[in-house]
Amino acid sequence: MGLGLDLILLGPPGAGKGTQAKKLVEKYGIPQVSTGDILRDAVKNNTALGIEAKAHMNRGALVPDEVVIGIVKERLKRGDCSKGYVLDGFPRTIAQADALFSYLNECGCPINGVIDIRVSKGYLVKRLSGRRVCRSCGFGYHIEFSPSKGNGRCDNCGGELFQRDDDREEVVTKRLDTYEAQTAPLIDYYEKSGLLKTVNGVGDVEVIFNDICKIVDGR
């Protein structure tokens, strides 16, 4: 690691963090560090922390903060992070944020930007619960924003469209409630540090990305 473009993306499920992170990777040539991806990678490669994480996951338990933090630290030590990185999905809690803050300051390369993608809860429920997927080819639709032309059938292959379990309204609402309770306090945390900037996450993807780039380039 070194002093570079060290960013954190905040935002609730469905806010578009993953999409915007990938666009930042393409534009600025820095890696996307996604907690989900690096956890799966650690488990796949049977690292010491990966084995420990897998034991918790197999029991259906949350992976403890110290294990997640350890895996993130291992990832940030890789050479591709020397010019910076985009953290997507981490930190999720104040405890994780404190641990990250301490570690990066010890390394002499603190986070220099936190961008919160703001989308209202009502809009997110509509966005996520309206998704439909083709059982045959996996193509995605939305009942309001990008519906299929057929009556519940895929335009590409004629397959049946269905709603994934985690896109059901009650599940989406629960996920958003969990985010608000656990992760939203990070907004205050980073606001007090003077690092937080916000963008409107509703609208054209390119417009949102341009808003993010203005913040990044104006650091």
Side-chain angles (χ1 to χ4, degrees), residues 140-161:
Y141 297 88
H142 193 282
I143 59 175
E144 181 175 341
F145 305 134
S146 55
S148 68
K149 295 175 183 176
N151 186 20
R153 291 286 173 180
C154 177
D155 296 339
N156 294 328
C157 70
E160 179 190 2
L161 303 185

Side-chain angles (χ1 to χ4, degrees), residues 5-214:
L5 183 57
D6 305 331
L7 297 173
I8 293 174
L9 284 186
L10 294 179
K17 294 189 301 298
T19 297
Q20 296 299 335
K22 287 179 173 59
K23 294 179 75 63
L24 286 166
V25 167
E26 292 173 6
K27 180 176 174 68
Y28 295 101
I30 56 175
Q32 175 186 4
V33 179
S34 166
T35 312
D37 290 344
I38 60 177
L39 268 173
R40 285 188 288 271
D41 188 53
V43 169
K44 179 181 177 182
N45 292 322
N46 284 318
T47 68
L49 287 169
I51 292 169
E52 188 174 351
K54 185 178 181 180
H56 291 283
M57 293 160 70
N58 286 346
R59 294 198 305 270
L62 291 175
V63 180
D65 275 353
E66 60 268 22
V67 177
V68 177
I69 292 162
I71 289 173
V72 171
K73 287 179 181 179
E74 286 184 345
R75 178 64 184 89
L76 295 182
K77 289 176 183 175
R78 294 189 194 172
D80 63 343
C81 290
S82 62
K83 294 181 180 179
Y85 48 82
V86 182
L87 274 171
D88 169 21
F90 183 91
R92 290 184 182 274
T93 65
I94 298 296
Q96 290 180 358
D98 280 337
L100 180 67
F101 177 84
S102 298
Y103 172 67
L104 293 177
N105 275 297
E106 287 172 9
C107 297
C109 46
I111 288 290
N112 50 40
V114 180
I115 299 173
D116 179 33
I117 302 176
R118 295 273 175 96
V119 184
S120 72
K121 183 177 178 179
Y123 185 85
L124 285 171
V125 171
K126 181 190 291 187
R127 176 188 281 180
L128 296 174
S129 64
R131 295 192 297 199
R132 299 293 185 271
V133 181
C134 175
R135 289 191 187 277
S136 300
C137 71
F139 194 82
Y141 297 88
H142 193 282
I143 59 175
E144 181 175 341
F145 305 134
S146 55
S148 68
K149 295 175 183 176
N151 186 20
R153 291 286 173 180
C154 177
D155 296 339
N156 294 328
C157 70
E160 179 190 2
L161 303 185
F162 76 104
Q163 182 183 44
R164 289 178 173 143
D165 287 342
D166 59 356
D167 285 339
R168 288 184 289 115
E169 185 171 337
E170 60 271 26
V171 176
V172 170
T173 300
K174 185 175 181 180
R175 287 169 62 200
L176 294 174
D177 288 344
T178 299
Y179 173 82
E180 288 179 2
Q182 187 179 56
T183 311
L186 289 171
I187 294 170
D188 291 333
Y189 180 96
Y190 285 115
E191 199 161 38
K192 289 174 182 174
S193 71
L195 290 171
L196 186 75
K197 301 291 183 183
T198 65
V199 296
N200 178 12
V202 177
D204 183 81
V205 170
E206 291 299 328
V207 171
I208 297 167
F209 181 61
N210 287 337
D211 289 342
I212 291 174
C213 290
K214 288 176 185 175

